[in-house]
């Protein structure tokens, strides 16, 4: 009943055209009234504290880095190089995007930050190359959610703590499914572009490629600096975002000399506004989560699972459906914090490997980041890429389908995750 | 009326400048901390608290600019297909919802700001109340923007009004 | 129904305390007062839970005493490095007149202070060498909490104190952004920092108390019988949790050792104490020496 009220108000308001952030607040207020808890303090505390989060500061930094790379000439040079290498293949930039997403996933622990970086850097290139916008956006959003699966990963750390699972094992176990997600994207993209009319330029000559490589050297150094800096412990993944921004500013202003002071000011303002759009939504989602928690909506559903203990696969399937449903309307961190402690006892009773469960949970909630009506990564992609919500939803649909299929495969054959995990952990 | 509009515009330009400077300060603080830690075995005490403080203010002021420019994420399919009778009412109804939400945000944040004004954060000394103040200011300004839309004769045709391009 | 919020995972002793509190309060009030527990920061971070307990959005909060000392700077004296000679000393102070005065301060901020459960002694882990003397701390990039005194202490000992969110600490230790951290051993255990650290040195450089507090209006709305039950149960729950804490510390140390962490008990505490004294000065300058003297006078 309470769940129904919440979903009715949320989905109804969004369909009517209420901005998603305010629709979340409205559904939270509806729960407040329903539970006789009406209080502006709840709203203000949850919203402001939801925004007040140092780990999410990577978002504005990656936005500045992306905008600067695009205005300051770095992106143009990377495109030129990428195009000279794979441009003659149909949809070549898409493959560049997938490779970039997997590399970024190995650098950063946050899907939101990765998706912001991917969209800010790659979407303009894909637009210039006249790729279908919706599928470009869908690909970049789906690429972004590989970040929490491949280590380092904030969600894997949180689930390790919440479910008392080894974080090292989760990290090592995440590599294989993360790469499989990347491979699934490659196949999906290949299938999508097959039917699209995309012009493909002539294959570049070796000489062109060399020129493009030399010209793009400074831009190409950026991922090297980021990877090297994180792996050698010079900075954290969050701080890597600021290093990327400073590097992009320095190269654009001092080496390429393509960044003027007024242009830089515009970058700062635009990034600030895009940050605000994304983070205000995060804050509003935290208000809704607070009330969902107090109303104990997930618990009501979780108790229904107990009869399935005798059949691990069926239990896993039921859990994954539950997580998927919760993940549609709730953000990743609160989903983990609320459901994992509740499900863990059932999972252990059923004899399911906790590391496997943890990975499945994070993969599933990561997919939730790109499903409407509440998908944080989807929101980021729209905000950063200036894309209509409807376009993003349509574009991301085929990728969600493929990810679900992958998830089903992991439920049917847990060894797909467990066997490679044993290779790494010994 | 014209003077009022110019006044409001320059207010929003000032807000943009504040956000840009805060952004720059955040970059400088976090980057300097990396350089100091790695290169000079040192650090900036309170760098985390200070950058979080700037972050919250950027978000709350930026949310106002987003509301004014219709940049907040929304589904417009239904709005665009509304029959003539409803096309005046529904956007105003939405603005009423926004006024309600933002008034609650402003009121709650104001109460928290007052309650926590004498509650300094340990490292930087920035009062916890100053963080909540961002919610009060942002909420109040957003409520004002939405309130104008409740009463304005013609709702904006799904787009930014003039002079909203950054800088 | 009262909402009881804390930030620890439900495997932590804080949850044991919360469960005991909820069960006993319900039992002894004949089910008239019930308590619902929200662990793991489900109702927000420490700041939000405390704001919530003040405004009545949350009814009962349990959080590190350090999270309250912004409002009540005088109580910061209880958090100073090497303030207590032993756990027994700490318990005597916290359960005695000094502790009662502290709990009374909560009422100005809309809360009823109930008790001081235990977070435990803070101990250093790192991955280069065991820490035996203050000189061993020099050169460590050490993640510390947001206590000014601890930051001063480690800076004075020529370490490089750094603030990082605790959620990012595991990765930071793994890649070497920082090479040391200091927490009570239950945190080192539950956040699995032992997987990426080599040495745990029992420096016991600061005793961390928790504070258990209730929204004042909600407390005052109870009958005096119920209020008595709440106070009694809070005291009993705290006593139980402290006892478990000591037992659990040893069993956790065993688990940590089994997981490959080298545990060093050979720490020159006297030398550390001497080195720490100057960090009391800035507290004394701001808040006077009344509390410090009173604590040291308790034997
Ligand atoms: Na990652
Ligand atoms: Na979703």
């Amino acid at each position: 009943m309470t769940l129904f009220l919440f979903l009715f108000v949320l989905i109804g308001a969004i369909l009517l055209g209420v901005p998603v952030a305010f629709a979340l607040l409205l559904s939270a207020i509806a729960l407040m009234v329903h539970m006789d808890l009406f209080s502006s303090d709840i709203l203000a505390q949850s919203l402001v504290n939801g925004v007040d989060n140092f780990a999410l500061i990577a978002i504005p930094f990656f936005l500045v880095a992306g905008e600067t790379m695009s205005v300051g000439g770095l992106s143009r040079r990377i495109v030129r190089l990428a195009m000279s290498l794979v441009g003659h293949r149909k949809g070549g930039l898409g493959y560049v995007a997938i490779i970039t997403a997997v590399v970024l996933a190995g650098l950063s622990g946050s899907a939101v930050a990765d998706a912001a970086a991917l969209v800010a850097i790659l979407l303009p290139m894909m637009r210039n190359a006249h790729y279908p916008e919706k599928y470009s956006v869908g690909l970049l959003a789906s690429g972004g959610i590989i970040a929490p699966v491949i280590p380092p990963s904030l969600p894997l750390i949180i689930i390790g703590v919440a479910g008392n699972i080894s974080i090292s094992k989760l990290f090592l176990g995440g590599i294989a499914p993360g790469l499989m997600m990347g491979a699934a994207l490659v196949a999906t993209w290949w299938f999508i572009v097959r039917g699209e009319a995309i012009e493909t330029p002539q294959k570049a000559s070796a000489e062109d490629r060399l020129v493009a490589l030399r010209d793009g050297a400074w831009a190409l150094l950026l991922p090297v600096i980021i990877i090297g800096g994180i792996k050698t412990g010079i900075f954290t993944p969050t701080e890597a975002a600021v290093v990327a921004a400073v590097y992009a500013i320095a190269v654009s202003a001092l080496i390429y000399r393509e960044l003027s002071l007024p242009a830089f000011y515009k970058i700062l303002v635009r990034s600030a506004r895009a940050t605000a759009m994304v983070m205000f939504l995060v804050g509003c989602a935290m208000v809704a989560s607070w009330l969902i928690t107090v109303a104990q909506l997930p618990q009501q559903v979780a108790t229904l699972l107990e009869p399935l203990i005798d059949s691990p696969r069926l239990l896993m399937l039921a859990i994954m459906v539950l997580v998927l449903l919760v993940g549609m309307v709730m953000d990743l961190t609160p989903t983990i914090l609320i459901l994992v402690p509740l499900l863990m006892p059932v999972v252990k009773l059923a004899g399911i490997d906790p590391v496997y469960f943890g990975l499945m949970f994070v993969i599933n909630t990561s997919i939730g980041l790109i499903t409407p009506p509440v998908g944080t990564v989807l929101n980021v992609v729209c905000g950063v890429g200036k894309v209509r919500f409807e376009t993003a939803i349509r574009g991301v649909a085929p990728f969600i389908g493929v990810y679900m299929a992958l998830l089903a495969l992991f439920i049917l054959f847990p060894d797909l995750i467990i066997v490679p995990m044993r290779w790494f952990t010994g | 009326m014209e003077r009022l509009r110019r006044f409001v515009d320059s207010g929003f330009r000032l807000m943009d400048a504040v956000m840009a400077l805060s952004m720059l300060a955040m970059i400088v603080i976090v980057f300097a901390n990396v350089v100091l830690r790695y290169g000079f075995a040192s650090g900036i005490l309170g760098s985390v608290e200070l950058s979080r403080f700037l972050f919250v203010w950027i978000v709350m002021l930026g949310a106002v600019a987003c509301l004014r420019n219709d940049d907040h994420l929304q589904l417009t399919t239904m709005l665009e297909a509304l029959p003539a009778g409803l096309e005046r009412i529904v956007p105003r109804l939405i603005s009423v919802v926004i006024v309600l939400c933002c008034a609650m945000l402003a009121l709650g944040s104001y109460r928290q700001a007052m309650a926590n004004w004498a509650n300094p954060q340990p490292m930087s000394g920035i009062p916890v109340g100053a963080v909540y103040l961002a919610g009060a200011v942002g909420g109040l300004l957003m409520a004002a923007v939405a309130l104008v839309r409740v009463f304005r004769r013609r709702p904006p045709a799904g787009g930014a009004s003039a002079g909203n391009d950054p800088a | 129904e009262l909402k009881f919020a804390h930030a620890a995972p439900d495997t932590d002793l804080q949850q044991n305390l919360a469960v005991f509190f909820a069960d006993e309060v319900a039992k002894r009030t004949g089910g008239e007062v019930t308590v619902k527990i929200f662990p793991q920061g489900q109702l927000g971070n420490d700041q939000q839970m405390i704001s919530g307990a003040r405004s009545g959005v949350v009814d009962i909060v349990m959080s590190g005493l350090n999270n309250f000392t912004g409002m009540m700077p005088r109580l910061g004296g209880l958090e100073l490095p090497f303030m207590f000679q032993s756990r027994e000393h700490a318990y005597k102070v916290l359960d005695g007149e000094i502790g009662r005065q502290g709990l009374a301060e909560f009422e100005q901020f809309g809360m009823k202070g109930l008790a001081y459960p235990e977070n435990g002694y803070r101990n250093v882990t790192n991955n280069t060498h065991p820490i035996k003397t203050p000189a061993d701390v020099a050169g460590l990039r050490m993640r510390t909490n947001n206590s000014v005194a601890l930051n001063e202490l480690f800076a004075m000992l020529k370490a490089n104190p750094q603030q990082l969110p605790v959620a990012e600490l595991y990765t930071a230790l793994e890649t070497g952004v920082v090479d040391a951290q200091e927490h009570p051993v239950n945190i080192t255990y539950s956040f699995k920092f032992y997987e990426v650290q080599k040495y745990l040195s029992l420096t016991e450089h600061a005793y961390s108390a928790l504070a258990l507090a209730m929204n004042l209006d909600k407390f005052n709305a109870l009958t005096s019988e119920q209020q008595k039950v709440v106070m009694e149960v809070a005291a009993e729950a705290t006593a139980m949790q402290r006892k478990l804490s000591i037992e659990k510390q040893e069993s956790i140390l065993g688990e940590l050792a089994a997981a490959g962490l080298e545990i060093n008990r050979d720490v020159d505490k006297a030398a550390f104490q001497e080195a720490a004294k100057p960090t009391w000065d800035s507290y004394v300058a701001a808040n006077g020496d009344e509390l410090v003297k009173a604590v040291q006078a308790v034997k």
Side-chain angles (χ1 to χ4, degrees), chain A residues 327-329 368-369 371-372 374-375:
Chain A
M328 284 181 77
V329 292
L369 294 172
T371 57
V374 185

Side-chain angles (χ1 to χ4, degrees), chain A residues 105 108-109 147 150-152:
Chain A
S108 144
I150 294 182

Side-chain angles (χ1 to χ4, degrees), chain A residues 14-22 25-26 29 32 38-41 43-45 47-49 51-54 56-57 60-61 64 233-236 239 242-243 245-246 249 264-266 268-277 279-281 378-379 382-383 386-390 393, chain B residues 13 16-21 23-24 26-28 30-31 33-34 37-38 47-48 51-53 55-56 58-63 65-67 69 71-80 90 93-94 97-98 100-102 104-105 107-109 111-112 131-132 135 142 164-167:
Chain A
I14 290 175
L15 285 180
L16 205 60
V18 177
V20 178
F22 298 104
L25 291 183
L26 191 67
I29 292 171
M32 286 183 194
F38 190 81
S39 154
S40 62
D41 290 325
L43 191 142
Q45 283 169 6
L47 205 162
V48 173
N49 282 290
V51 172
D52 187 5
N53 180 342
F54 187 73
L56 298 180
I57 274 184
F61 295 155
V64 172
I234 297 175
F235 38 74
T236 66
E239 291 168 339
V242 83
V243 173
V246 170
I249 293 166
F264 181 52
Y265 178 76
K266 277 190 186 176
L268 290 177
V269 173
R270 269 205 303 270
S271 314
R273 287 184 181 178
T275 300
M277 192 227 97
M279 287 302 301
F280 188 70
L281 242 166
L378 212 53
N379 300 342
C382 294
K386 298 263 182 294
V387 182
R388 284 161 53 93
F389 199 35
E390 294 92 326
I393 292 172
Chain B
R13 272 200 299 277
D16 279 344
V18 171
M19 288 192 291
L21 281 178
M23 217 46 180
L24 191 61
M26 232 161 56
I27 293 174
V28 170
V30 179
F31 186 71
N33 200 50
V34 174
R37 180 180 63 227
Y38 190 74
S47 62
V48 171
S51 30
R52 274 179 15 219
F53 169 76
F55 188 41
V56 173
I58 288 173
V59 171
M60 290 303 168
L61 293 182
C66 286
L67 183 61
N69 299 349
D71 279 344
H72 281 295
L73 205 64
Q74 68 187 120
L75 276 179
T76 50
T77 318
M78 194 87 113
L79 282 179
E80 283 157 7
V90 172
L93 214 60
I94 292 174
V97 167
I98 297 177
L100 168 75
C101 295
C102 293
M104 278 180 77
L105 171 63
L107 178 67
S109 302
R111 287 161 48 101
Q112 294 303 315
V131 178
Y132 280 114
M142 277 191 278
N164 282 330
D165 196 45

Side-chain angles (χ1 to χ4, degrees), chain A residues 183-326:
Chain A
L185 289 185
V186 169
T188 317
W189 183 249
W190 175 81
F191 189 80
I192 286 174
V193 292
R194 223 174 43 138
E196 293 285 332
I198 299 175
E199 280 177 48
T200 45
Q202 290 278 305
K203 188 172 176 177
S205 69
E207 197 183 337
D208 287 345
R209 287 179 175 179
L210 202 65
V211 172
L213 181 66
R214 205 178 301 134
D215 192 35
W218 283 103
L220 281 180
L221 208 54
L222 179 56
V224 177
I225 290 174
I226 298 297
I227 296 175
I230 292 178
K231 291 294 168 200
T232 57
I234 297 175
F235 38 74
T236 66
T238 305
E239 291 168 339
V242 83
V243 173
V246 170
Y247 181 82
I249 293 166
V251 171
S252 309
L254 304 176
I255 294 173
Y256 294 158
R257 296 184 177 277
E258 289 183 25
L259 184 67
S260 67
L261 205 57
F264 181 52
Y265 178 76
K266 277 190 186 176
I267 288 174
L268 290 177
V269 173
R270 269 205 303 270
S271 314
R273 287 184 181 178
T275 300
M277 192 227 97
V278 173
M279 287 302 301
F280 188 70
L281 242 166
V282 169
C284 293
M286 296 313 282
V287 181
S289 291
W290 198 96
L291 285 141
I292 289 176
T293 306
V294 171
Q296 300 190 277
L297 300 186
Q299 278 90 330
Q300 293 167 11
V301 190
T303 46
L304 300 176
L305 291 175
E306 272 165 30
L308 296 174
I309 280 176
D310 290 334
S311 162
R313 281 207 178 87
L314 215 57
L315 175 67
M316 204 60 200
L317 179 68
I319 289 178
M320 288 296 114
V321 171
L322 165 71
V323 173
L324 210 65
L325 290 176
V326 175

Side-chain angles (χ1 to χ4, degrees), chain C residues 37-65:
Chain C
I37 305 162
F38 295 92
Q40 293 190 318
Q42 285 179 2
L43 297 190
N45 58 22
D46 291 292
Q47 181 56 54
Q48 186 179 352
M49 287 189 296
I50 293 169
S51 295
R54 293 178 62 188
S55 53
V57 162
V58 169
D59 305 303
I60 299 169
V61 62
M62 179 160 53
S63 172
L65 184 59

